[in-house]
Amino acid sequence: MVGGPPGVEDAYPRVMTTSVLVLGAGFGGLELSTMLSEAFGDEIEVTLIDKGDAFYFGFSKLDVMFGRTTPDAVLLPYKNFLKPGVRFLQETVSSIDPVARRVTTNRGTHETDFLVVALGADYDFAATPGMADATEFYTLAGATRLGERLRTFTRGRVLIAVGGAPFKCPPAPSEAALMMHDYLTTRGIRNACEITLILPLETPVPPSPETSRALLAAFAERNITFVADRELKSVDTQRQVATIDDGREFTYDLFLGVPAIRAPKMLEESGMTENGYVPVKPKTLETRFPEVYAVGDCAKQGTPKAGVFAEGAARAVATALIARLRNQQVPVTHKGTGSCYIEFGAGRIGRVDVDFFSNPEGPTGTYHEPSVALRADKEHFGSSRRARWFGL
């Protein structure tokens, strides 16, 4: 126990020394750990584990690919994530026992009172034959390689294709197509190039017809070919041909792949997954295992695979844990809402605010037209989290 009996000076009762183990230091893990630290400081023990040594925002990969910034400039080292009551460990999770709440890593074993799985989704290159040998822009290393390739690219067919749904950050392939148009135009070679975008969705942003119409209009204005509701099935890097699920083949000179995803394999081996992801109660993020939660891309939480939705789910779990540890009524706070910024090119950014839970008939989206002013909003989105999580 930390401290003695509650005194009149205490706003809340003291809690028992409780341990919370958070697996994954992405949007979800960082926000959850931050909220617990703000609420309790060193009165509880929060352990945050990630196999990497740094965080970066997903949208920064496009900036790296198109030469707006460098890979080193977008990395936020976890050594700068310093929060009272939280320790960060760079370890690789090898197995999870969700019943015992016991996690084994390459450096040892951890047991905990509360386990939060925020491990994200892994890229499943093997799911699409040839993808492992193809160029992709969904990893920082892949975006960096494509950026180098772009500098010497002067003419030909640019093909952007997605290996299956769900995929991470649904607007990103559309952004890549529009930013590619700008990049090639700036270099004076757009007329010598074709751009084709293949998506496994009927529209670019299904929850918001207005956003989708705006993107389709932008594609048409820029002579970008959009192939809807089709999935990439294979890539032949020797012939430079991509095949989609209706048998059509697309030749290319520059390929921008989006790999299929799956929850980390050890979650499947732990017995936590169903149909590839960890099922949770959408409003509370509880798994079927007591005191075990899952948030973000590894969970089937009723929202897209994007950082802002992992963050929202983490806030809900943190709010619930704080209430439980203070012996208060536990609120249900996962709203299933989030905002996605969309690069339309020419320095303009649009935004769509999506709500997945409020409307019984399905998700809804509110569209904000592209503007230069919204770029400041997007920059604030990044800078506010850099400051909150890393003190930068």
Side-chain angles (χ1 to χ4, degrees):
M1 177 180 291
V2 176
V8 292
E9 75 280 7
D10 292 313
Y12 299 101
R14 296 289 185 181
V15 297
M16 298 292 289
T17 303
T18 301
S19 63
V20 181
L21 181 59
V22 184
L23 305 181
F27 273 82
L30 291 170
E31 180 61 18
L32 178 71
S33 301
T34 298
M35 287 184 66
L36 292 176
S37 176
E38 289 173 341
F40 299 113
D42 57 9
E43 290 185 340
I44 67 172
E45 298 171 354
V46 179
T47 302
L48 177 61
I49 294 178
D50 197 282
K51 63 184 178 182
D53 62 358
F55 170 82
Y56 59 88
F57 294 100
F59 57 75
S60 63
K61 290 175 290 191
L62 287 169
D63 292 331
V64 168
M65 182 168 68
F66 289 111
R68 294 180 174 183
T69 187
T70 64
D72 289 343
V74 304
L75 293 174
L76 298 165
Y78 288 128
K79 66 181 181 182
N80 294 329
F81 183 73
L82 303 172
K83 305 291 180 186
V86 181
R87 63 172 179 156
F88 172 80
L89 300 176
Q90 185 180 354
E91 300 181 6
T92 301
V93 177
S94 55
S95 67
I96 300 171
D97 181 340
V99 176
R101 296 189 295 281
R102 182 183 303 115
V103 174
T104 302
T105 74
N106 60 324
R107 295 194 174 183
T109 301
H110 305 268
E111 295 186 356
T112 187
D113 297 314
F114 296 95
L115 175 62
V116 184
V117 180
L119 286 166
D122 289 343
Y123 293 115
D124 190 0
F125 290 95
T128 307
M131 182 67 87
D133 300 319
T135 45
E136 49 80 22
F137 66 104
Y138 261 54
T139 67
L140 188 57
T144 302
R145 284 191 292 270
L146 268 169
E148 294 166 354
R149 173 77 176 87
L150 270 172
R151 287 199 292 268
T152 61
F153 182 72
T154 56
R155 64 185 303 114
R157 299 180 179 91
V158 179
L159 180 63
I160 305 164
V162 181
F167 58 96
K168 293 189 181 187
C169 194
S174 298
E175 292 180 288
L178 295 171
M179 293 172 74
M180 181 66 73
H181 168 85
D182 272 12
Y183 176 84
L184 298 175
T185 300
T186 299
R187 289 185 54 205
I189 57 173
R190 179 64 180 94
N191 290 339
C193 302
E194 299 175 9
I195 302 173
T196 299
L197 170 63
I198 300 172
L199 279 186
L201 305 172
E202 292 183 0
T203 59
V205 183
S208 175
E210 194 175 2
T211 305
S212 292
R213 282 194 295 271
L215 284 168
L216 292 173
F219 297 157
E221 290 168 8
R222 292 158 176 80
N223 197 26
I224 295 169
T225 301
F226 177 59
V227 180
D229 203 22
R230 297 268 69 99
E231 183 176 305
L232 175 71
K233 299 307 288 185
S234 66
V235 188
D236 186 332
T237 57
Q238 297 300 313
R239 295 171 55 223
Q240 296 192 178
V241 172
T243 304
I244 62 174
D245 54 5
D246 63 3
R248 277 185 289 170
E249 292 187 343
F250 291 78
T251 58
Y252 65 82
D253 298 289
L254 183 66
F255 182 74
L256 279 68
V258 178
I261 58 172
R262 54 167 292 161
K265 192 172 183 181
M266 100 278 295
L267 292 178
E268 179 182 332
E269 294 168 348
S270 73
M272 294 186 69
T273 63
E274 290 178 8
N275 298 319
Y277 296 93
V278 181
V280 295
K281 297 178 182 177
K283 295 295 182 70
T284 65
L285 292 312
E286 295 169 292
T287 70
R288 62 189 179 90
F289 304 97
E291 323 299 12
V292 179
Y293 300 81
V295 302
D297 291 358
C298 68
K300 191 174 182 180
Q301 64 177 43
T303 58
K305 308 295 186 186
V308 67
F309 293 103
E311 182 183 307
R315 286 184 186 142
V317 173
T319 301
L321 289 176
I322 291 166
R324 289 185 64 179
L325 294 173
R326 288 174 172 167
N327 295 316
Q328 297 173 338
Q329 184 174 350
V330 178
V332 176
T333 61
H334 188 212
K335 297 178 181 178
T337 59
S339 298
C340 289
Y341 295 93
I342 304 174
E343 296 267 0
F344 271 78
R348 299 175 307 133
I349 288 181
R351 194 181 82 209
V352 57
D353 303 329
V354 190
D355 182 338
F356 280 84
F357 293 166
S358 296
N359 183 7
E361 296 181 4
T364 58
T366 303
Y367 174 59
H368 301 265
E369 290 188 357
S371 68
V372 175
L374 277 176
R375 178 167 295 281
D377 277 15
K378 179 181 177 181
E379 289 172 354
H380 175 72
F381 176 89
S383 63
S384 62
R385 284 152 181 81
R386 279 193 296 271
R388 175 168 171 75
W389 296 335
F390 297 95
L392 301 174

